[in-house]
Amino acid sequence: MRFGLLLLTMFTLHAGLPAIYAEETAEPQTLEQVFAEGVIDLDAAPAPPIVQPSTELAPLAENENQLISAPAQQTSVCASGAGCTCSTCTCQAPACSCEPCGGNACTLCDRIPLLNKFPSDRCFDDFIMPVSNPVWSIDPRSLTYVRGIFINQMIDAQTPVLGAGDLQVYALQLGIALNERLSIIAVKDGYNTLQTRGVGNRTGWSDIGLGLKYVLIRDVENQFLLSGGLIYEATNGSSRVFQGNGDGVWTPYVSIGKQIGSGHLIASSGYHVPGDTAEESQSIYYSIHYDHPVTSKLSAVAELNGIVYTKSGQALPLNIEGGDWINLGSSSVAGNNVVTTAFGANYRLNSCLSVAGVWEFPISNRKDLLDSRTTVTLTLQF
């Protein structure tokens, strides 16, 4: 029985070998034949599982972490301007820093170390200083500057006592910014030459005017300033050119500045209070300045100045006064009002040096001593 089963098994294997061998030696099918015979069914094949990437990063080795540097700090415009001695002020936390000379070649201002210790507030650099009425039209910014002034004023032929003539003034103004709000200003000094038909040729020194200025409101974002201060004019000048009379004059004042579009408005007003009301007249003054850029360096300038006399003096029996530079102490000027206007330009030679010039003339019926005036300034700002 067992022997028969063994023979049957051997026979079955022998019969199947040719078929297996035929399949292995058959010629390979093409890819089209395989798909046609349905050997591979792509539609029925299951889609591979989608593996979500892991959001957890493997911790860096200590040496790998040292190779990664921190991102560079972003630089933004410095809002306060503190500590800046040049026009390019940047903020780099934790404190403000300033790029020396604005990235350009240093100018003359950067080579004068004494005044560079008291830098101007550079966050209002586009403003331009008023030109006409140079003593009393006060710039509201806290600035360190030196400004040379030349005035040539023509006197009308109908002027009582003096007659036709002219006045020249050679002056030097100075400002020292103790910080971005407080500054010391020297607004009046200089040497005068006076030539008229009535009194001939005369020369002499001007009175000296010194004061303080404090910025009450300093809004960098809106480019707005409000300042106030007090100026004292001493009596050290020469009487030959109508200076040195009285017992000094105190002048409290306010000044505002505002950017309007690409232009800038500066307005100031104050009250002249003489120490000796018999020798000098009392008055209220006002000045309005507007500048507008024409090019990157050139700006047009328009200004308006006025003075209203509130109380007469008793020094001279006249109905005219001297305006911004001279106080005659005339006895019949209370209620008089003189208004002038000026037009000109300002040119920036570089980031700290500028030259300006305006021509001024009266627009009121009253002229007093000012028939017309030319004022030229050269300003070095630190």
Side-chain angles (χ1 to χ4, degrees):
M1 182 71 175
R2 292 181 179 176
F3 182 76
L5 291 175
L6 178 61
L7 290 175
L8 179 61
T9 302
M10 292 178 62
F11 178 80
T12 305
L13 292 174
H14 179 73
L17 284 174
I20 296 172
Y21 180 78
E23 289 181 2
E24 291 178 351
T25 57
E27 293 202 359
Q29 292 177 309
T30 64
L31 187 60
E32 290 80 358
Q33 291 173 335
V34 173
F35 285 136
E37 295 176 5
V39 176
I40 299 177
D41 188 357
L42 293 178
D43 295 332
I50 298 175
V51 179
Q52 296 292 339
S54 174
T55 58
E56 297 182 1
L57 298 177
L60 294 173
E62 182 177 355
N63 59 346
E64 294 175 337
N65 191 34
Q66 292 175 351
L67 296 177
I68 300 177
S69 58
Q73 282 185 324
Q74 292 183 348
T75 300
S76 59
V77 176
C78 182
S80 67
C84 291
T85 58
C86 62
S87 58
T88 304
C89 183
T90 60
C91 268
Q92 284 187 325
C96 290
S97 62
C98 189
E99 182 182 355
C101 305
N104 301 319
C106 291
T107 63
L108 174 63
C109 297
D110 302 298
R111 297 190 177 99
I112 303 178
L114 178 60
L115 291 178
N116 272 340
K117 296 181 182 297
F118 304 95
S120 300
D121 183 357
R122 287 292 191 173
C123 291
F124 299 86
D125 266 359
D126 291 337
F127 283 75
I128 291 174
M129 296 182 70
V131 185
S132 63
N133 192 13
V135 177
W136 306 115
S137 187
I138 307 295
D139 193 309
R141 298 172 292 171
S142 184
L143 302 175
T144 295
Y145 68 94
V146 177
R147 182 161 81 151
I149 299 174
F150 171 72
I151 295 175
N152 182 53
Q153 178 172 316
M154 306 304 296
I155 302 173
D156 188 78
Q158 303 301 318
T159 304
V161 181
L162 298 180
D166 54 77
L167 168 70
Q168 288 79 39
V169 176
Y170 307 86
L172 188 69
Q173 288 184 334
L174 179 67
I176 299 177
L178 302 180
N179 52 51
E180 63 187 18
R181 292 188 180 270
L182 180 62
S183 59
I184 300 171
I185 53 176
V187 294
K188 184 178 179 180
D189 58 24
Y191 192 73
N192 305 337
T193 64
L194 177 66
Q195 300 83 217
T196 66
R197 292 180 181 178
V199 299
N201 298 339
R202 298 184 176 189
T203 60
W205 294 99
S206 297
D207 293 337
I208 292 179
L210 301 172
L212 292 173
K213 175 171 56 180
Y214 188 79
V215 181
L216 300 169
I217 299 176
R218 180 181 177 274
D219 187 346
V220 177
E221 182 179 359
N222 295 304
Q223 289 290 282
F224 175 78
L225 292 156
L226 172 62
S227 301
L230 181 66
I231 297 172
Y232 176 71
E233 182 180 345
T235 57
N236 61 287
S238 172
S239 60
R240 289 177 53 82
V241 288
F242 304 108
Q243 303 288 300
N245 55 319
D247 191 22
V249 178
W250 295 92
T251 305
Y253 70 89
V254 293
S255 177
I256 65 171
K258 180 69 176 75
Q259 179 173 323
I260 303 175
S262 56
H264 304 87
L265 176 71
I266 294 176
S268 57
S269 180
Y271 187 42
H272 300 306
V273 183
D276 187 343
T277 57
E279 288 293 319
E280 295 181 285
S281 304
Q282 296 184 30
S283 59
I284 297 173
Y285 80 89
Y286 55 91
S287 292
I288 301 173
H289 157 98
Y290 180 76
D291 62 76
H292 194 86
V294 177
T295 68
S296 60
K297 292 188 174 183
L298 180 66
S299 294
V301 173
E303 297 177 340
L304 180 75
N305 304 301
I307 186 166
V308 180
Y309 294 96
T310 59
K311 185 177 180 180
S312 302
Q314 301 175 17
L316 297 173
L318 300 174
N319 66 344
I320 63 169
E321 259 297 349
D324 59 341
W325 203 263
I326 296 173
N327 192 327
L328 297 173
S330 299
S331 60
S332 302
V333 295
N336 289 356
N337 183 19
V338 180
V339 183
T340 65
T341 188
F343 298 95
N346 181 91
Y347 186 79
R348 297 180 188 267
L349 300 172
N350 55 46
S351 62
C352 70
L353 185 63
S354 62
V355 60
V358 297
W359 180 58
E360 184 179 5
F361 55 92
I363 58 175
S364 59
N365 293 328
R366 179 172 291 276
K367 297 180 179 181
D368 285 1
L369 296 186
L370 197 156
D371 184 53
S372 67
R373 174 192 280 184
T374 301
T375 304
V376 178
T377 65
L378 181 65
T379 305
L380 194 62
Q381 181 178 323
F382 299 85

